[in-house]
Amino acid sequence: MRIGELATNAGLTAKTIRFYETAGVLPEPERQPSGYRDYNGSALARLRFVKAAQAAGLTLAEIRQVIAVRDLSGPPCRHVADLLDTHAADLDRRIAELAALRDDVQRLRDRAKSLDPSRCDDTAVCHVIPADDPAAHPPARIP
Amino acid sequence: MRIGELATNAGLTAKTIRFYETAGVLPEPERQPSGYRDYNGSALARLRFVKAAQAAGLTLAEIRQVIAVRDLSGPPCRHVADLLDTHAADLDRRIAELAALRDDVQRLRDRAKSLDPSRCDDTAVCHVIPADDPAAHPPARIP
DNA sequence: CTTGACCTTCCACCGCAGGGGAGGCTTTAC
DNA sequence: GTAAAGCCTCCCCTGCGGTGGAAGGTCAAG
C-alpha cells in the first residue's frame, strides 16, 4: 500500500502521515525500490489507534509515549488509564476555569447594558471593561 | 518613566511591553535623547486596560481592534459588548465540547477497570482505547 | 575610569498539529 | 511516447503570546 492509499483509507492526507512518522507515532515503513513508502495493514491499525487516542484528547507526544511504553514493557493499559485519569482531571479544571470566565464575561456584559456610552471616561479605553477590575484573575489562558 | 519602571508598576516585563507596542495595543511612546522609551501615566492606564481585557478573554488582536474603534468613532462600548456576547457564546460552546470529551474520557477510564491487561490484543497498541471507537468525534480541538 | 544596571535593536524559538509549495523522481493511463 | 498523477525530500508558514539571547549604547555610583 502506498502512502496515498493509506491516507485515503485512514481519512488523512499523505502529508499528515509523513508528519506522524517524524512525530514518532508511526514506525518507518519499508520502501519500494523506487523509494516510495510501502505500508502493510498494521499501519492502518496504528493510524486508527492514533485517531482514537487523539479523540480522547491525548497529544501526539503522549501517544508516542504510550507506544514506547508498550514496546518496552508490554501492554500499556495501566499507563493509559493513568493518562486518562490525568486528562479527566485536567478537563475538570479547565471546564471550571472556563465556566468562571464565562460568568465574568456575562457579568461585564450585563453591566454594559446599564452604562451610558456618553459617560465613557476619556482616560480609559472603554469603561465597559474596568481597568481596575478587582475580580481580574490572571489571564485565563485557554490552552 | 522608563520601560523597566513601567513594567514593574504594571506587573509585566520590559520585553512584554515592547511586544505590546509591536502588537499595536500600546502606542509608541516619546523617546528620551538617549533613545530610551519615555512613558507617562496613560501608558500604565492602557496596560491595566489590556490586562483586564485579557482577563475577560479578549485576544490582543481584539483589544487592538477595540482601541482602533475607539480612536476612530469614539466610545467602543457597543463594539465591546458585542465582543463580550460572542465570547460568552464561544465559551458556552467550548465548555459543552469539553464536558462531552470529559465524559468520553471517563467512560474509557471506567471501561479500562473492567479489562484484563493480559488480553491486550497484539495487533492494537492498547485495547483501553478502542481503535474502532464508534463514538469517536472528530479530534476535539481545544483551541 | 570602570563596573554594573539599564536600555536599544534584531533574530530566533517555544508548543501544537499540521499545511504550502519548490524541485525532482516514478508510475500510470492513453 | 507523452502527459498526468503520485511520490520523494526539504524548508518555510500558520496562530498565540510571549521569552531568550547577542551585540552594542547610556547612565549613575564608586
Side-chain angles (χ1 to χ4, degrees), chain A residues 13 15-16 19-20 34 36 54 59-60:
Chain A
T13 68
K15 275 268 194 204
T16 300
F19 171 71
Y20 282 177
S34 60
Y36 287 9
Q54 275 193 313
T59 66
L60 290 181

PDB file of all heavy atoms in Angstrom, chain A residues 13 15-16 19-20 34 36 54 59-60, chain C residues 16-22 25-28:
ATOM      1  N   THR A  13      -4.324  12.981   5.157  1.00  0.00           N
ATOM      2  CA  THR A  13      -3.559  13.331   3.970  1.00  0.00           C
ATOM      3  C   THR A  13      -2.191  12.669   4.057  1.00  0.00           C
ATOM      4  O   THR A  13      -1.715  12.309   5.147  1.00  0.00           O
ATOM      5  CB  THR A  13      -3.352  14.848   3.854  1.00  0.00           C
ATOM      6  OG1 THR A  13      -2.484  15.263   4.906  1.00  0.00           O
ATOM      7  CG2 THR A  13      -4.669  15.602   3.969  1.00  0.00           C
ATOM      8  N   LYS A  15       0.575  14.084   3.667  1.00  0.00           N
ATOM      9  CA  LYS A  15       1.390  14.988   4.483  1.00  0.00           C
ATOM     10  C   LYS A  15       1.298  14.632   5.961  1.00  0.00           C
ATOM     11  O   LYS A  15       2.297  14.570   6.673  1.00  0.00           O
ATOM     12  CB  LYS A  15       0.883  16.429   4.294  1.00  0.00           C
ATOM     13  CG  LYS A  15       1.452  17.125   3.097  1.00  0.00           C
ATOM     14  CD  LYS A  15       2.699  17.889   3.451  1.00  0.00           C
ATOM     15  CE  LYS A  15       3.066  18.836   2.338  1.00  0.00           C
ATOM     16  NZ  LYS A  15       4.476  19.177   2.314  1.00  0.00           N
ATOM     17  N   THR A  16       0.091  14.423   6.394  1.00  0.00           N
ATOM     18  CA  THR A  16      -0.122  14.132   7.810  1.00  0.00           C
ATOM     19  C   THR A  16       0.555  12.824   8.200  1.00  0.00           C
ATOM     20  O   THR A  16       1.166  12.710   9.267  1.00  0.00           O
ATOM     21  CB  THR A  16      -1.620  14.062   8.088  1.00  0.00           C
ATOM     22  OG1 THR A  16      -2.201  15.322   7.765  1.00  0.00           O
ATOM     23  CG2 THR A  16      -1.903  13.737   9.543  1.00  0.00           C
ATOM     24  N   PHE A  19       4.133  13.339   8.539  1.00  0.00           N
ATOM     25  CA  PHE A  19       4.332  14.082   9.788  1.00  0.00           C
ATOM     26  C   PHE A  19       4.247  13.151  10.988  1.00  0.00           C
ATOM     27  O   PHE A  19       5.055  13.261  11.932  1.00  0.00           O
ATOM     28  CB  PHE A  19       3.299  15.191   9.899  1.00  0.00           C
ATOM     29  CG  PHE A  19       3.282  15.874  11.221  1.00  0.00           C
ATOM     30  CD1 PHE A  19       4.312  16.713  11.596  1.00  0.00           C
ATOM     31  CD2 PHE A  19       2.238  15.649  12.115  1.00  0.00           C
ATOM     32  CE1 PHE A  19       4.298  17.338  12.834  1.00  0.00           C
ATOM     33  CE2 PHE A  19       2.228  16.272  13.346  1.00  0.00           C
ATOM     34  CZ  PHE A  19       3.260  17.111  13.711  1.00  0.00           C
ATOM     35  N   TYR A  20       3.319  12.216  10.978  1.00  0.00           N
ATOM     36  CA  TYR A  20       3.196  11.267  12.075  1.00  0.00           C
ATOM     37  C   TYR A  20       4.452  10.408  12.186  1.00  0.00           C
ATOM     38  O   TYR A  20       4.874  10.051  13.278  1.00  0.00           O
ATOM     39  CB  TYR A  20       1.974  10.374  11.864  1.00  0.00           C
ATOM     40  CG  TYR A  20       0.658  11.032  12.204  1.00  0.00           C
ATOM     41  CD1 TYR A  20      -0.549  10.369  12.000  1.00  0.00           C
ATOM     42  CD2 TYR A  20       0.615  12.319  12.730  1.00  0.00           C
ATOM     43  CE1 TYR A  20      -1.759  10.976  12.316  1.00  0.00           C
ATOM     44  CE2 TYR A  20      -0.587  12.930  13.040  1.00  0.00           C
ATOM     45  CZ  TYR A  20      -1.776  12.254  12.826  1.00  0.00           C
ATOM     46  OH  TYR A  20      -2.966  12.846  13.131  1.00  0.00           O
ATOM     47  N   SER A  34      11.667   2.010  -5.684  1.00  0.00           N
ATOM     48  CA  SER A  34      11.580   3.399  -6.153  1.00  0.00           C
ATOM     49  C   SER A  34      11.816   4.402  -5.038  1.00  0.00           C
ATOM     50  O   SER A  34      11.991   5.582  -5.290  1.00  0.00           O
ATOM     51  CB  SER A  34      10.199   3.639  -6.746  1.00  0.00           C
ATOM     52  OG  SER A  34       9.207   3.402  -5.768  1.00  0.00           O
ATOM     53  N   TYR A  36       9.501   4.750  -2.703  1.00  0.00           N
ATOM     54  CA  TYR A  36       8.160   5.005  -2.169  1.00  0.00           C
ATOM     55  C   TYR A  36       7.941   4.219  -0.883  1.00  0.00           C
ATOM     56  O   TYR A  36       8.378   3.077  -0.754  1.00  0.00           O
ATOM     57  CB  TYR A  36       7.090   4.586  -3.193  1.00  0.00           C
ATOM     58  CG  TYR A  36       6.948   5.491  -4.383  1.00  0.00           C
ATOM     59  CD1 TYR A  36       7.851   6.518  -4.632  1.00  0.00           C
ATOM     60  CD2 TYR A  36       5.894   5.326  -5.276  1.00  0.00           C
ATOM     61  CE1 TYR A  36       7.716   7.338  -5.737  1.00  0.00           C
ATOM     62  CE2 TYR A  36       5.745   6.146  -6.373  1.00  0.00           C
ATOM     63  CZ  TYR A  36       6.669   7.149  -6.608  1.00  0.00           C
ATOM     64  OH  TYR A  36       6.524   7.960  -7.701  1.00  0.00           O
ATOM     65  N   GLN A  54      -6.336  10.473  19.858  1.00  0.00           N
ATOM     66  CA  GLN A  54      -6.491  11.930  19.716  1.00  0.00           C
ATOM     67  C   GLN A  54      -7.904  12.354  20.093  1.00  0.00           C
ATOM     68  O   GLN A  54      -8.107  13.380  20.731  1.00  0.00           O
ATOM     69  CB  GLN A  54      -6.205  12.356  18.275  1.00  0.00           C
ATOM     70  CG  GLN A  54      -4.745  12.577  17.986  1.00  0.00           C
ATOM     71  CD  GLN A  54      -4.550  13.294  16.668  1.00  0.00           C
ATOM     72  OE1 GLN A  54      -5.158  12.934  15.671  1.00  0.00           O
ATOM     73  NE2 GLN A  54      -3.696  14.295  16.662  1.00  0.00           N
ATOM     74  N   THR A  59      -2.306  13.993  23.331  1.00  0.00           N
ATOM     75  CA  THR A  59      -1.459  14.663  22.355  1.00  0.00           C
ATOM     76  C   THR A  59      -0.617  13.624  21.636  1.00  0.00           C
ATOM     77  O   THR A  59      -0.470  12.484  22.107  1.00  0.00           O
ATOM     78  CB  THR A  59      -0.514  15.668  23.027  1.00  0.00           C
ATOM     79  OG1 THR A  59       0.405  14.947  23.841  1.00  0.00           O
ATOM     80  CG2 THR A  59      -1.277  16.660  23.885  1.00  0.00           C
ATOM     81  N   LEU A  60      -0.008  14.017  20.531  1.00  0.00           N
ATOM     82  CA  LEU A  60       0.858  13.093  19.813  1.00  0.00           C
ATOM     83  C   LEU A  60       2.032  12.671  20.695  1.00  0.00           C
ATOM     84  O   LEU A  60       2.475  11.529  20.634  1.00  0.00           O
ATOM     85  CB  LEU A  60       1.365  13.735  18.520  1.00  0.00           C
ATOM     86  CG  LEU A  60       0.317  13.941  17.425  1.00  0.00           C
ATOM     87  CD1 LEU A  60       0.948  14.552  16.194  1.00  0.00           C
ATOM     88  CD2 LEU A  60      -0.374  12.635  17.077  1.00  0.00           C
TER      89      LEU A  60
ATOM     90  P    DC C  16       2.858  20.467  23.646  1.00  0.00           P
ATOM     91  OP1  DC C  16       1.996  20.277  24.826  1.00  0.00           O
ATOM     92  OP2  DC C  16       4.059  19.642  23.471  1.00  0.00           O
ATOM     93  O5'  DC C  16       1.974  20.326  22.344  1.00  0.00           O
ATOM     94  C5'  DC C  16       0.748  21.041  22.266  1.00  0.00           C
ATOM     95  C4'  DC C  16       0.298  21.182  20.848  1.00  0.00           C
ATOM     96  O4'  DC C  16       0.992  22.237  20.180  1.00  0.00           O
ATOM     97  C3'  DC C  16       0.527  19.953  19.952  1.00  0.00           C
ATOM     98  O3'  DC C  16      -0.720  19.288  19.871  1.00  0.00           O
ATOM     99  C2'  DC C  16       0.972  20.541  18.612  1.00  0.00           C
ATOM    100  C1'  DC C  16       0.822  22.041  18.797  1.00  0.00           C
ATOM    101  N1   DC C  16       1.811  22.909  18.130  1.00  0.00           N
ATOM    102  C2   DC C  16       1.374  24.016  17.404  1.00  0.00           C
ATOM    103  O2   DC C  16       0.174  24.249  17.328  1.00  0.00           O
ATOM    104  N3   DC C  16       2.295  24.806  16.808  1.00  0.00           N
ATOM    105  C4   DC C  16       3.594  24.518  16.915  1.00  0.00           C
ATOM    106  N4   DC C  16       4.465  25.332  16.312  1.00  0.00           N
ATOM    107  C5   DC C  16       4.065  23.381  17.648  1.00  0.00           C
ATOM    108  C6   DC C  16       3.141  22.610  18.236  1.00  0.00           C
ATOM    109  P    DA C  17      -0.877  17.791  19.413  1.00  0.00           P
ATOM    110  OP1  DA C  17      -2.083  17.242  20.050  1.00  0.00           O
ATOM    111  OP2  DA C  17       0.408  17.087  19.563  1.00  0.00           O
ATOM    112  O5'  DA C  17      -1.192  17.967  17.852  1.00  0.00           O
ATOM    113  C5'  DA C  17      -2.356  18.682  17.483  1.00  0.00           C
ATOM    114  C4'  DA C  17      -2.309  19.024  16.018  1.00  0.00           C
ATOM    115  O4'  DA C  17      -1.325  20.046  15.799  1.00  0.00           O
ATOM    116  C3'  DA C  17      -1.908  17.852  15.114  1.00  0.00           C
ATOM    117  O3'  DA C  17      -2.759  17.829  13.986  1.00  0.00           O
ATOM    118  C2'  DA C  17      -0.489  18.222  14.713  1.00  0.00           C
ATOM    119  C1'  DA C  17      -0.646  19.728  14.620  1.00  0.00           C
ATOM    120  N9   DA C  17       0.605  20.477  14.546  1.00  0.00           N
ATOM    121  C8   DA C  17       1.844  20.116  15.000  1.00  0.00           C
ATOM    122  N7   DA C  17       2.777  21.009  14.763  1.00  0.00           N
ATOM    123  C5   DA C  17       2.108  22.024  14.114  1.00  0.00           C
ATOM    124  C6   DA C  17       2.526  23.259  13.593  1.00  0.00           C
ATOM    125  N6   DA C  17       3.771  23.695  13.644  1.00  0.00           N
ATOM    126  N1   DA C  17       1.586  24.045  13.008  1.00  0.00           N
ATOM    127  C2   DA C  17       0.323  23.614  12.944  1.00  0.00           C
ATOM    128  N3   DA C  17      -0.190  22.468  13.392  1.00  0.00           N
ATOM    129  C4   DA C  17       0.761  21.709  13.982  1.00  0.00           C
ATOM    130  P    DG C  18      -2.909  16.530  13.148  1.00  0.00           P
ATOM    131  OP1  DG C  18      -3.988  16.769  12.171  1.00  0.00           O
ATOM    132  OP2  DG C  18      -2.986  15.378  14.040  1.00  0.00           O
ATOM    133  O5'  DG C  18      -1.487  16.457  12.428  1.00  0.00           O
ATOM    134  C5'  DG C  18      -1.401  16.705  11.022  1.00  0.00           C
ATOM    135  C4'  DG C  18      -1.449  18.188  10.746  1.00  0.00           C
ATOM    136  O4'  DG C  18      -0.287  18.811  11.298  1.00  0.00           O
ATOM    137  C3'  DG C  18      -1.440  18.570   9.278  1.00  0.00           C
ATOM    138  O3'  DG C  18      -2.728  18.926   8.879  1.00  0.00           O
ATOM    139  C2'  DG C  18      -0.502  19.747   9.167  1.00  0.00           C
ATOM    140  C1'  DG C  18      -0.087  20.022  10.618  1.00  0.00           C
ATOM    141  N9   DG C  18       1.312  20.406  10.685  1.00  0.00           N
ATOM    142  C8   DG C  18       2.347  19.671  11.201  1.00  0.00           C
ATOM    143  N7   DG C  18       3.493  20.290  11.157  1.00  0.00           N
ATOM    144  C5   DG C  18       3.199  21.507  10.585  1.00  0.00           C
ATOM    145  C6   DG C  18       4.029  22.615  10.292  1.00  0.00           C
ATOM    146  O6   DG C  18       5.243  22.723  10.465  1.00  0.00           O
ATOM    147  N1   DG C  18       3.330  23.658   9.721  1.00  0.00           N
ATOM    148  C2   DG C  18       1.987  23.656   9.462  1.00  0.00           C
ATOM    149  N2   DG C  18       1.464  24.746   8.899  1.00  0.00           N
ATOM    150  N3   DG C  18       1.189  22.641   9.750  1.00  0.00           N
ATOM    151  C4   DG C  18       1.858  21.600  10.303  1.00  0.00           C
ATOM    152  P    DG C  19      -3.064  18.986   7.316  1.00  0.00           P
ATOM    153  OP1  DG C  19      -4.533  19.055   7.137  1.00  0.00           O
ATOM    154  OP2  DG C  19      -2.277  17.917   6.702  1.00  0.00           O
ATOM    155  O5'  DG C  19      -2.429  20.375   6.844  1.00  0.00           O
ATOM    156  C5'  DG C  19      -3.086  21.597   7.153  1.00  0.00           C
ATOM    157  C4'  DG C  19      -2.522  22.707   6.288  1.00  0.00           C
ATOM    158  O4'  DG C  19      -1.166  22.987   6.678  1.00  0.00           O
ATOM    159  C3'  DG C  19      -2.480  22.407   4.790  1.00  0.00           C
ATOM    160  O3'  DG C  19      -2.832  23.597   4.101  1.00  0.00           O
ATOM    161  C2'  DG C  19      -1.037  22.000   4.552  1.00  0.00           C
ATOM    162  C1'  DG C  19      -0.315  22.891   5.553  1.00  0.00           C
ATOM    163  N9   DG C  19       0.965  22.358   6.024  1.00  0.00           N
ATOM    164  C8   DG C  19       1.182  21.142   6.614  1.00  0.00           C
ATOM    165  N7   DG C  19       2.432  20.958   6.962  1.00  0.00           N
ATOM    166  C5   DG C  19       3.077  22.126   6.571  1.00  0.00           C
ATOM    167  C6   DG C  19       4.431  22.495   6.685  1.00  0.00           C
ATOM    168  O6   DG C  19       5.369  21.854   7.172  1.00  0.00           O
ATOM    169  N1   DG C  19       4.654  23.755   6.158  1.00  0.00           N
ATOM    170  C2   DG C  19       3.701  24.559   5.597  1.00  0.00           C
ATOM    171  N2   DG C  19       4.098  25.747   5.131  1.00  0.00           N
ATOM    172  N3   DG C  19       2.428  24.219   5.488  1.00  0.00           N
ATOM    173  C4   DG C  19       2.183  22.987   5.992  1.00  0.00           C
ATOM    174  P    DG C  20      -2.978  23.542   2.506  1.00  0.00           P
ATOM    175  OP1  DG C  20      -4.129  24.410   2.169  1.00  0.00           O
ATOM    176  OP2  DG C  20      -2.936  22.128   2.092  1.00  0.00           O
ATOM    177  O5'  DG C  20      -1.646  24.248   1.958  1.00  0.00           O
ATOM    178  C5'  DG C  20      -1.025  25.306   2.703  1.00  0.00           C
ATOM    179  C4'  DG C  20      -0.033  26.025   1.801  1.00  0.00           C
ATOM    180  O4'  DG C  20       1.315  25.739   2.257  1.00  0.00           O
ATOM    181  C3'  DG C  20      -0.091  25.590   0.342  1.00  0.00           C
ATOM    182  O3'  DG C  20       0.110  26.723  -0.483  1.00  0.00           O
ATOM    183  C2'  DG C  20       1.025  24.561   0.228  1.00  0.00           C
ATOM    184  C1'  DG C  20       2.040  25.017   1.281  1.00  0.00           C
ATOM    185  N9   DG C  20       2.700  23.918   1.964  1.00  0.00           N
ATOM    186  C8   DG C  20       2.109  22.774   2.432  1.00  0.00           C
ATOM    187  N7   DG C  20       2.952  21.955   3.009  1.00  0.00           N
ATOM    188  C5   DG C  20       4.178  22.603   2.913  1.00  0.00           C
ATOM    189  C6   DG C  20       5.456  22.210   3.362  1.00  0.00           C
ATOM    190  O6   DG C  20       5.779  21.175   3.961  1.00  0.00           O
ATOM    191  N1   DG C  20       6.428  23.157   3.056  1.00  0.00           N
ATOM    192  C2   DG C  20       6.189  24.338   2.404  1.00  0.00           C
ATOM    193  N2   DG C  20       7.247  25.123   2.199  1.00  0.00           N
ATOM    194  N3   DG C  20       4.992  24.724   1.979  1.00  0.00           N
ATOM    195  C4   DG C  20       4.043  23.811   2.267  1.00  0.00           C
ATOM    196  P    DG C  21      -0.026  26.635  -2.043  1.00  0.00           P
ATOM    197  OP1  DG C  21      -0.486  27.955  -2.530  1.00  0.00           O
ATOM    198  OP2  DG C  21      -0.801  25.422  -2.362  1.00  0.00           O
ATOM    199  O5'  DG C  21       1.481  26.412  -2.527  1.00  0.00           O
ATOM    200  C5'  DG C  21       2.469  27.332  -2.104  1.00  0.00           C
ATOM    201  C4'  DG C  21       3.846  26.809  -2.426  1.00  0.00           C
ATOM    202  O4'  DG C  21       4.208  25.757  -1.503  1.00  0.00           O
ATOM    203  C3'  DG C  21       3.984  26.197  -3.837  1.00  0.00           C
ATOM    204  O3'  DG C  21       5.124  26.771  -4.446  1.00  0.00           O
ATOM    205  C2'  DG C  21       4.172  24.712  -3.564  1.00  0.00           C
ATOM    206  C1'  DG C  21       4.897  24.757  -2.230  1.00  0.00           C
ATOM    207  N9   DG C  21       4.869  23.512  -1.479  1.00  0.00           N
ATOM    208  C8   DG C  21       3.778  22.710  -1.235  1.00  0.00           C
ATOM    209  N7   DG C  21       4.071  21.646  -0.531  1.00  0.00           N
ATOM    210  C5   DG C  21       5.439  21.754  -0.307  1.00  0.00           C
ATOM    211  C6   DG C  21       6.323  20.896   0.385  1.00  0.00           C
ATOM    212  O6   DG C  21       6.062  19.840   0.971  1.00  0.00           O
ATOM    213  N1   DG C  21       7.619  21.382   0.371  1.00  0.00           N
ATOM    214  C2   DG C  21       8.028  22.534  -0.242  1.00  0.00           C
ATOM    215  N2   DG C  21       9.310  22.846  -0.161  1.00  0.00           N
ATOM    216  N3   DG C  21       7.210  23.343  -0.890  1.00  0.00           N
ATOM    217  C4   DG C  21       5.936  22.895  -0.889  1.00  0.00           C
ATOM    218  P    DA C  22       5.367  26.599  -5.978  1.00  0.00           P
ATOM    219  OP1  DA C  22       5.113  27.902  -6.630  1.00  0.00           O
ATOM    220  OP2  DA C  22       4.663  25.395  -6.461  1.00  0.00           O
ATOM    221  O5'  DA C  22       6.930  26.321  -5.961  1.00  0.00           O
ATOM    222  C5'  DA C  22       7.744  26.971  -4.956  1.00  0.00           C
ATOM    223  C4'  DA C  22       9.132  26.345  -4.944  1.00  0.00           C
ATOM    224  O4'  DA C  22       9.124  25.180  -4.084  1.00  0.00           O
ATOM    225  C3'  DA C  22       9.611  25.865  -6.317  1.00  0.00           C
ATOM    226  O3'  DA C  22      11.000  26.162  -6.443  1.00  0.00           O
ATOM    227  C2'  DA C  22       9.340  24.371  -6.293  1.00  0.00           C
ATOM    228  C1'  DA C  22       9.523  24.030  -4.808  1.00  0.00           C
ATOM    229  N9   DA C  22       8.687  22.927  -4.331  1.00  0.00           N
ATOM    230  C8   DA C  22       7.341  22.810  -4.449  1.00  0.00           C
ATOM    231  N7   DA C  22       6.854  21.729  -3.879  1.00  0.00           N
ATOM    232  C5   DA C  22       7.963  21.099  -3.356  1.00  0.00           C
ATOM    233  C6   DA C  22       8.125  19.906  -2.636  1.00  0.00           C
ATOM    234  N6   DA C  22       7.110  19.107  -2.305  1.00  0.00           N
ATOM    235  N1   DA C  22       9.369  19.551  -2.260  1.00  0.00           N
ATOM    236  C2   DA C  22      10.394  20.363  -2.599  1.00  0.00           C
ATOM    237  N3   DA C  22      10.367  21.512  -3.271  1.00  0.00           N
ATOM    238  C4   DA C  22       9.109  21.820  -3.624  1.00  0.00           C
ATOM    239  P    DC C  25      16.082  14.384 -10.880  1.00  0.00           P
ATOM    240  OP1  DC C  25      17.540  14.498 -10.812  1.00  0.00           O
ATOM    241  OP2  DC C  25      15.355  14.685 -12.140  1.00  0.00           O
ATOM    242  O5'  DC C  25      15.710  12.926 -10.399  1.00  0.00           O
ATOM    243  C5'  DC C  25      14.619  12.231 -10.971  1.00  0.00           C
ATOM    244  C4'  DC C  25      14.074  11.269  -9.953  1.00  0.00           C
ATOM    245  O4'  DC C  25      13.014  11.951  -9.255  1.00  0.00           O
ATOM    246  C3'  DC C  25      13.491  10.008 -10.549  1.00  0.00           C
ATOM    247  O3'  DC C  25      13.899   8.850  -9.842  1.00  0.00           O
ATOM    248  C2'  DC C  25      12.002  10.193 -10.487  1.00  0.00           C
ATOM    249  C1'  DC C  25      11.777  11.297  -9.469  1.00  0.00           C
ATOM    250  N1   DC C  25      10.805  12.313  -9.970  1.00  0.00           N
ATOM    251  C2   DC C  25       9.444  12.146  -9.702  1.00  0.00           C
ATOM    252  O2   DC C  25       9.073  11.160  -9.059  1.00  0.00           O
ATOM    253  N3   DC C  25       8.559  13.067 -10.164  1.00  0.00           N
ATOM    254  C4   DC C  25       8.997  14.114 -10.849  1.00  0.00           C
ATOM    255  N4   DC C  25       8.092  15.011 -11.263  1.00  0.00           N
ATOM    256  C5   DC C  25      10.379  14.311 -11.127  1.00  0.00           C
ATOM    257  C6   DC C  25      11.244  13.385 -10.689  1.00  0.00           C
ATOM    258  P    DT C  26      13.619   7.448 -10.713  1.00  0.00           P
ATOM    259  OP1  DT C  26      14.366   6.401  -9.988  1.00  0.00           O
ATOM    260  OP2  DT C  26      13.843   7.701 -12.148  1.00  0.00           O
ATOM    261  O5'  DT C  26      12.061   7.161 -10.508  1.00  0.00           O
ATOM    262  C5'  DT C  26      11.546   6.878  -9.208  1.00  0.00           C
ATOM    263  C4'  DT C  26      10.081   6.454  -9.321  1.00  0.00           C
ATOM    264  O4'  DT C  26       9.237   7.574  -9.697  1.00  0.00           O
ATOM    265  C3'  DT C  26       9.804   5.345 -10.323  1.00  0.00           C
ATOM    266  O3'  DT C  26       8.867   4.482  -9.722  1.00  0.00           O
ATOM    267  C2'  DT C  26       9.206   6.097 -11.500  1.00  0.00           C
ATOM    268  C1'  DT C  26       8.430   7.199 -10.788  1.00  0.00           C
ATOM    269  N1   DT C  26       8.156   8.455 -11.538  1.00  0.00           N
ATOM    270  C2   DT C  26       6.870   8.931 -11.598  1.00  0.00           C
ATOM    271  O2   DT C  26       5.925   8.369 -11.096  1.00  0.00           O
ATOM    272  N3   DT C  26       6.728  10.105 -12.302  1.00  0.00           N
ATOM    273  C4   DT C  26       7.715  10.833 -12.920  1.00  0.00           C
ATOM    274  O4   DT C  26       7.456  11.876 -13.511  1.00  0.00           O
ATOM    275  C5   DT C  26       9.046  10.275 -12.815  1.00  0.00           C
ATOM    276  C7   DT C  26      10.200  10.984 -13.463  1.00  0.00           C
ATOM    277  C6   DT C  26       9.203   9.127 -12.139  1.00  0.00           C
ATOM    278  P    DT C  27       8.712   2.954 -10.240  1.00  0.00           P
ATOM    279  OP1  DT C  27       9.051   2.052  -9.140  1.00  0.00           O
ATOM    280  OP2  DT C  27       9.361   2.829 -11.570  1.00  0.00           O
ATOM    281  O5'  DT C  27       7.126   2.904 -10.448  1.00  0.00           O
ATOM    282  C5'  DT C  27       6.281   3.586  -9.534  1.00  0.00           C
ATOM    283  C4'  DT C  27       5.033   4.057 -10.242  1.00  0.00           C
ATOM    284  O4'  DT C  27       5.308   5.220 -11.045  1.00  0.00           O
ATOM    285  C3'  DT C  27       4.367   3.054 -11.183  1.00  0.00           C
ATOM    286  O3'  DT C  27       3.078   2.813 -10.670  1.00  0.00           O
ATOM    287  C2'  DT C  27       4.346   3.751 -12.540  1.00  0.00           C
ATOM    288  C1'  DT C  27       4.401   5.209 -12.117  1.00  0.00           C
ATOM    289  N1   DT C  27       4.899   6.205 -13.101  1.00  0.00           N
ATOM    290  C2   DT C  27       4.078   7.240 -13.486  1.00  0.00           C
ATOM    291  O2   DT C  27       2.945   7.376 -13.091  1.00  0.00           O
ATOM    292  N3   DT C  27       4.652   8.132 -14.368  1.00  0.00           N
ATOM    293  C4   DT C  27       5.924   8.081 -14.888  1.00  0.00           C
ATOM    294  O4   DT C  27       6.310   8.946 -15.666  1.00  0.00           O
ATOM    295  C5   DT C  27       6.730   6.975 -14.446  1.00  0.00           C
ATOM    296  C7   DT C  27       8.120   6.846 -14.952  1.00  0.00           C
ATOM    297  C6   DT C  27       6.186   6.092 -13.577  1.00  0.00           C
ATOM    298  P    DT C  28       2.227   1.549 -11.171  1.00  0.00           P
ATOM    299  OP1  DT C  28       1.565   0.927 -10.010  1.00  0.00           O
ATOM    300  OP2  DT C  28       3.056   0.740 -12.093  1.00  0.00           O
ATOM    301  O5'  DT C  28       1.104   2.303 -12.015  1.00  0.00           O
ATOM    302  C5'  DT C  28       0.507   3.486 -11.456  1.00  0.00           C
ATOM    303  C4'  DT C  28      -0.286   4.222 -12.539  1.00  0.00           C
ATOM    304  O4'  DT C  28       0.600   5.046 -13.321  1.00  0.00           O
ATOM    305  C3'  DT C  28      -1.031   3.325 -13.526  1.00  0.00           C
ATOM    306  O3'  DT C  28      -2.395   3.701 -13.506  1.00  0.00           O
ATOM    307  C2'  DT C  28      -0.375   3.615 -14.877  1.00  0.00           C
ATOM    308  C1'  DT C  28       0.158   5.028 -14.654  1.00  0.00           C
ATOM    309  N1   DT C  28       1.334   5.436 -15.474  1.00  0.00           N
ATOM    310  C2   DT C  28       1.296   6.636 -16.143  1.00  0.00           C
ATOM    311  O2   DT C  28       0.343   7.376 -16.119  1.00  0.00           O
ATOM    312  N3   DT C  28       2.440   6.951 -16.845  1.00  0.00           N
ATOM    313  C4   DT C  28       3.585   6.186 -16.936  1.00  0.00           C
ATOM    314  O4   DT C  28       4.546   6.562 -17.589  1.00  0.00           O
ATOM    315  C5   DT C  28       3.558   4.940 -16.214  1.00  0.00           C
ATOM    316  C7   DT C  28       4.754   4.044 -16.261  1.00  0.00           C
ATOM    317  C6   DT C  28       2.449   4.621 -15.530  1.00  0.00           C
TER     318       DT C  28
END
